Amino acid sequence: MTRLDVEAFRVAAGTRVDLGATPTRIEPLYESKKQYKKLLKQGVKELKALQRLHYASNRYALLLIFQAMDAAGKDGAIRHVMSGINPQGCQVFSFKQPSATELDHDFLWRTTRSLPERGRIGIFNRSYYEEVLVVRVHREILDDQRLPDVLLDENVWPGRYRSIVDLESHLHRNGTRIVKFFLHLSKDEQRKRFLDRIDQPDKNWKLTAGDVEEREFWDGYMTAYAECMSATSTSDTPWYIVPADDKKNARLIISAIVIETFKDLDMAYPKPSPQRVRELRSIREKLTT
């Protein structure tokens, strides 16, 4: 796949994010649909090889987190970019409204149970970040979490940011690499995609009245995302803001970032011990005589 400066999309630690000044569309990385397919295929092939090495090396875990407004293309990006990955080495979790049991625990509990093991890739399609995004936009959701009143002051959001950063730092120190993607979609492009879901019968099921009603809170979501990424993008666990108005471009960008993340890891196929070498020689002799 063509080399891409993935740092251009990374939120540097300590940066104040301004989504209003961050593009939702950039110049395409491809010149035609045919070239896009070729580039994506190259990326899928490279990821397949790297994932095999990752699984065999069994030293790190990789967690990919996807967050976005509705219709930004998270599902499609996961499906296309990770299409060559061995299912045995990858798990995808989608986190919806918390259950009664989950609400009886701290806000990080339900996602922590789904973290990837060493040698595997874990994908969170939405995540614990919902607790500082949708919960912040819809403050009434906090009432269902039955937290002590003393904790529901102006420090609730900075406190949750700190909890997230502490958790991610702990995971990084223990071999889990975390990459976080925000698919940055414009409000107008979302409107077009919602209309497309109405016009195409096989997409009707994707759209609800609630999806459209959430558009009224767009500015609140943009503020919540900007403050969240500003507070939780670190040198070890970065956020990447991916322009998402062009789905094809977004997929190529995400592919390049995941590939670069893998290449930064110290991975190698296990070297056989002297005993194992002798065992393999013995097996060879039996197969060739």
Side-chain angles (χ1 to χ4, degrees), residues 35 86 238 247 255 262:
Q35 188 190 30
N86 186 334
K247 290 182 180 181
S255 178
F262 265 134

Side-chain angles (χ1 to χ4, degrees), residues 1-140:
M1 181 176 178
T2 303
R3 297 285 293 183
L4 175 70
D5 180 16
V6 299
E7 293 299 312
F9 307 98
R10 181 174 179 145
V11 178
T15 300
R16 292 300 302 172
V17 174
D18 180 1
L19 290 176
T22 306
T24 59
R25 183 184 296 273
I26 62 172
E27 285 295 316
L29 302 173
Y30 58 95
E31 297 179 356
S32 64
K33 185 176 181 179
K34 180 178 180 180
Q35 188 190 30
Y36 156 73
K37 289 183 177 181
K38 179 180 178 181
L39 291 173
L40 184 63
K41 185 177 180 180
Q42 290 174 354
V44 168
K45 182 179 180 181
E46 192 166 3
L47 270 177
K48 182 178 180 179
L50 287 167
Q51 186 254 341
R52 189 185 304 117
L53 174 59
H54 171 61
Y55 188 81
S57 178
N58 198 35
R59 298 187 64 188
Y60 294 94
L62 178 63
L63 175 62
L64 308 178
I65 294 177
F66 289 83
Q67 293 285 159
M69 298 295 286
D70 288 331
K74 298 191 312 306
D75 293 357
I78 294 169
R79 185 171 63 254
H80 285 81
V81 172
M82 311 302 289
S83 61
I85 297 299
N86 186 334
Q88 290 184 321
C90 182
Q91 294 173 298
V92 181
F93 296 93
S94 296
F95 296 98
K96 306 296 184 182
Q97 185 175 346
S99 67
T101 299
E102 290 167 345
L103 288 172
D104 281 334
H105 293 268
D106 67 274
F107 77 95
L108 292 170
W109 180 77
R110 67 171 179 159
T111 49
T112 301
R113 295 182 302 159
S114 300
L115 290 168
E117 303 98 323
R118 287 188 180 87
R120 296 180 180 269
I121 302 171
I123 299 175
F124 285 0
N125 187 346
R126 301 191 186 281
S127 66
Y128 44 82
Y129 279 100
E130 293 291 285
E131 295 293 330
V132 292
L133 297 169
V134 65
V135 177
R136 180 167 183 169
V137 173
H138 296 283
R139 177 67 185 252
E140 65 275 10

Side-chain angles (χ1 to χ4, degrees), residues 6-18 65 128-129 132 160-162 164-166 168-169 172 178-182 224-241 257:
V6 299
E7 293 299 312
F9 307 98
R10 181 174 179 145
V11 178
T15 300
R16 292 300 302 172
V17 174
D18 180 1
I65 294 177
Y128 44 82
Y129 279 100
V132 292
R160 288 193 169 190
Y161 296 150
R162 179 178 177 182
I164 289 171
V165 170
D166 286 347
E168 292 180 347
S169 295
H172 182 86
I178 303 173
V179 182
K180 302 170 287 191
F181 298 101
F182 172 58
Y225 269 109
E227 294 193 8
C228 164
M229 289 187 285
S230 298
T232 61
S233 193
T234 71
S235 57
D236 291 332
T237 61
W239 275 100
Y240 290 88
I241 300 178
I257 292 169

Side-chain angles (χ1 to χ4, degrees), residues 269-273:
Y269 283 106
K271 292 184 178 181
S273 65

